[in-house]
């Protein structure tokens, strides 16, 4: 198989997949195309030559992908005067997700327990998983508090977000540990033993176990099934069903309100050689709104599955 195209920012991944569980494997080729739109001075989105941001590298390189990762990046606006936090909203279609952004805090001792301490002076806050709940920390060799047996040194880490802050096992809560600055509105941290879901709208720049879509996703795409992998382990964590052209994305709390609509792909794929017994599906892998640069990024997936081998392909601008 070869791909004939003059379109930039194209990545091809190939492999084998079973269309039916336990059935024979078929060859597949996933052709990923990055497209960008910028917000002009007149407030109209127009095609842009901006390249794909580093945060979307996995959207371009994962072999298979089922569903659309909808993410946003930018700097959180300071709280309004007299308020202690800033609410950041990320609306994707009919769904609204909300984050509470605060100044730096840490656990302080009050009476016989630990409580969140007062906020410090506000400092610039970028949407980043390092500011969400999670993280890792070092434990020295010691006696296990439950069994009484020796326990070797190791580094516990939050399974969903080892980059974050505030995570401690129930028996290891410590005074002075920094609290996350970004929290989901409905899961704010209030006690040292709580384990809220990490919250952030930015792409997750690490590899987590189970982050990739299962090979069966290729069959789901072609057969119209939108079964997703475990949402808690999705590559960008904020995981949507397939978004279609016209779906609206809107962000509040990162400067002026910014909104964009999913655009149809500016490319189409077809057979460059004699057509074989093959099937084709095109979906939106990722939609990313860069609030600071006012650029809207899209990554489309043209998926071809064929018996035997994938035919030669041609990718043209539409």
């Amino acid at each position: 198989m070869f791909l004939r195209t003059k379109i930039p920012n194209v990545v091809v991944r190939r492999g084998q997949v079973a269309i039916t569980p336990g059935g024979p494997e078929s060859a597949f080729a996933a052709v990923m195309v990055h497209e960008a739109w910028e917000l002009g001075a007149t407030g109209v989105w127009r095609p842009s030559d901006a390249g794909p941001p580093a945060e979307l590298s996995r959207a371009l390189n994962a072999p298979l992908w089922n569903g659309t990762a909808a993410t946003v990046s930018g700097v959180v606006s300071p709280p309004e005067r007299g308020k202690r936090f800033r609410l950041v909203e990320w609306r994707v279609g009919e769904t609204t997700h909300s984050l509470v952004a605060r100044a730096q805090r840490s656990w302080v001792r009050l009476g016989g327990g630990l409580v969140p301490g007062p906020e410090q002076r506000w400092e610039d806050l970028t949407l980043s998983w390092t500011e969400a709940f999670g993280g890792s920390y070092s434990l020295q060799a010691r006696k296990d508090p439950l069994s009484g047996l020796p326990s070797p040194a190791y580094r516990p880490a939050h399974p969903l977000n080892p980059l974050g802050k505030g995570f401690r096992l129930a028996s290891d809560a410590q005074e002075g540990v920094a609290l996350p600055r970004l929290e989901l509105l409905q899961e704010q941290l209030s006690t040292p033993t709580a384990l809220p879901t990490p919250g952030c709208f930015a792409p997750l720049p690490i590899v987590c176990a189970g982050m990739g879509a299962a090979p069966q996703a290729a069959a789901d795409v072609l057969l119209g099934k939108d079964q997703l992998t475990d949402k808690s382990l999705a590559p960008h964590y904020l995981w949507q069903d397939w978004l279609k052209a016209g779906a609206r994305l809107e962000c509040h709390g990162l400067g002026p309100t910014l909104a964009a609509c999913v655009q149809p792909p500016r490319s189409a794929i077809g057979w460059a050689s004699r057509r074989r017994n093959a099937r084709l599906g095109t979906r939106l892998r990722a939609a990313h709104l860069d609030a600071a640069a006012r650029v809207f990024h899209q990554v489309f997936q043209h998926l071809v599955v064929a018996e035997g081998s994938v035919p030669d392909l041609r990718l043209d601008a539409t």
Side-chain angles (χ1 to χ4, degrees), residues 11 29-34 59 62-67 213 217-218 221 242 265 267 269 280-286 298-304:
V11 177
V31 180
M32 282 71 75
V33 184
H34 168 266
L64 292 174
W65 192 288
N66 199 21
V221 170
W242 292 109
S267 63
I269 199 165
L280 169 68
T282 298
R283 299 290 179 93
L284 179 65
R285 273 188 169 220
Q298 299 183 138
V299 176
F300 285 96
Q301 167 186 287
H302 300 291
L303 180 64
V304 180

Side-chain angles (χ1 to χ4, degrees), residues 108-146:
V108 297
R109 189 163 298 280
L110 181 65
L114 296 175
V115 297
E119 287 89 353
Q120 300 177 13
R121 190 173 70 88
W122 179 271
E123 296 181 355
D124 288 345
L125 175 60
T126 300
L127 279 187
S128 169
W129 287 92
T130 60
E131 299 293 348
F133 180 73
S136 62
Y137 63 103
S138 297
L139 277 181
Q140 302 299 319
R142 58 178 182 171
K143 271 189 176 182
D144 186 282
L146 298 180

Side-chain angles (χ1 to χ4, degrees), residues 22-294:
E25 290 190 338
S26 298
F28 77 84
V31 180
M32 282 71 75
V33 184
H34 168 266
E35 299 175 359
W37 301 76
E38 63 182 353
L39 187 61
T42 59
V44 177
W45 290 97
R46 60 191 181 190
S48 169
D49 294 329
E55 296 94 326
L56 294 184
S57 61
R58 280 191 290 147
L60 283 165
N61 288 284
L64 292 174
W65 192 288
N66 199 21
T68 302
T71 55
V72 62
S73 62
V75 178
V76 179
S77 301
E80 297 176 358
R81 192 168 187 175
K83 293 190 176 181
R84 299 164 55 190
F85 62 89
R86 165 68 68 174
L87 191 64
V88 180
E89 292 185 333
W90 179 224
R91 299 177 183 174
V92 182
E94 300 298 323
T95 304
T96 298
H97 305 268
S98 299
L99 287 178
V100 174
R102 301 179 184 274
Q104 184 63 62
R105 301 176 299 160
S106 60
W107 290 114
V108 297
R109 189 163 298 280
L110 181 65
L114 296 175
V115 297
E119 287 89 353
Q120 300 177 13
R121 190 173 70 88
W122 179 271
E123 296 181 355
D124 288 345
L125 175 60
T126 300
L127 279 187
S128 169
W129 287 92
T130 60
E131 299 293 348
F133 180 73
S136 62
Y137 63 103
S138 297
L139 277 181
Q140 302 299 319
R142 58 178 182 171
K143 271 189 176 182
D144 186 282
L146 298 180
S147 66
L149 298 175
S151 177
Y154 72 108
R155 190 174 187 85
H158 194 286
L160 301 183
N161 181 27
L163 293 180
K165 58 178 63 174
F167 169 69
R168 289 293 187 277
L169 297 176
S171 58
D172 300 316
Q174 298 178 12
E175 184 176 0
V177 170
L179 295 172
R181 296 187 63 187
L182 296 173
E183 299 177 281
L184 293 172
L185 177 63
Q186 67 275 22
E187 294 192 51
Q188 298 182 57
L189 191 60
S190 58
T191 64
T193 57
L195 293 173
T197 303
C200 184
F201 302 150
L204 186 61
I206 59 173
V207 176
C208 290
M211 53 75 68
Q216 186 59 30
D220 293 341
V221 170
L222 295 176
L223 299 178
K225 300 176 182 178
D226 284 333
Q227 296 177 349
L228 305 181
T229 54
D230 187 342
K231 293 185 179 182
S232 65
L233 297 178
H236 293 77
Y237 189 71
L238 181 58
W239 194 264
Q240 306 290 330
D241 291 343
W242 292 109
L243 292 179
K244 299 179 180 179
R248 182 177 174 85
L249 299 95
E250 187 173 316
C251 182
H252 300 263
L254 304 181
T257 296
L258 195 61
C261 287
V262 173
Q263 302 296 316
R266 303 202 304 262
S267 63
I269 199 165
W271 322 117
S273 58
R274 185 176 178 181
R275 188 179 187 281
R276 302 186 184 183
N277 186 11
R279 302 179 70 178
L280 169 68
T282 298
R283 299 290 179 93
L284 179 65
R285 273 188 169 220
H288 178 74
L289 188 60
D290 186 333
R294 298 166 72 85

Side-chain angles (χ1 to χ4, degrees), residues 2 4 270-274 311-314:
F2 71 84
R4 181 183 302 159
W271 322 117
S273 58
R274 185 176 178 181
D312 296 332
L313 303 174
R314 182 185 68 251

